[in-house]
Amino acid sequence: MELQSLKNRFGIIGNSPGLNHALNVAAQVANTDLSVLINGESGVGKEVVARYVHQKSRRANRAFISVNCAAIPENLLESGLFGHEAGAFSGARAAKPGLFETANGGTVLLDEIGE
């Protein structure tokens, strides 16, 4: 699929050399099993780029899970990401799979991880 039709599919607006370079790099890393850090100010489209990488990857037919880490209380973050077994802590009545397990070979976007 050509770059312009992919940009349209994801609602990416613009046609600058910088944007095209960034999307070409995103497509290249999509062909790897590397973890990717997408850095930028709020509102620049980091999640859009993450979805773009996911769709270009071998994981495209698997889950894409976006986690706003800032919205999860610190004491629940570990359990939310990794899951827990019944009785692991007060109130854990049943085992619950974490988001990494739920992604099952797909992509997990940890948004606002610095928070």
Side-chain angles (χ1 to χ4, degrees):
M1 188 177 284
E2 73 175 44
L3 183 60
Q4 189 57 44
S5 61
L6 272 171
K7 286 165 59 174
N8 292 341
R9 179 175 170 198
F10 287 91
I12 298 172
I13 301 170
N15 193 21
S16 70
L19 175 62
N20 292 336
H21 176 70
L23 294 177
N24 285 328
V25 170
Q28 289 175 5
V29 299
N31 291 321
T32 71
D33 288 325
L34 298 172
S35 296
V36 178
L37 173 65
I38 302 169
N39 194 8
E41 295 185 25
S42 182
V44 298
K46 295 180 295 291
E47 184 168 347
V48 172
V49 172
R51 288 182 185 278
Y52 181 83
V53 169
H54 175 76
Q55 286 300 314
K56 295 284 289 177
S57 76
R58 296 183 299 273
R59 298 172 301 282
N61 62 342
R62 302 282 187 146
F64 179 93
I65 298 176
S66 180
V67 181
N68 182 344
C69 295
I72 301 173
E74 185 177 343
N75 61 333
L76 298 178
L77 186 60
E78 182 179 352
S79 172
L81 295 177
F82 299 103
H84 62 262
E85 295 297 321
F89 53 85
S90 179
R93 294 186 184 96
K96 178 182 177 285
L99 294 174
F100 289 122
E101 184 179 347
T102 303
N104 190 23
T107 300
V108 176
L109 168 65
L110 299 175
D111 196 15
E112 301 295 340
I113 195 165
E115 299 300 317

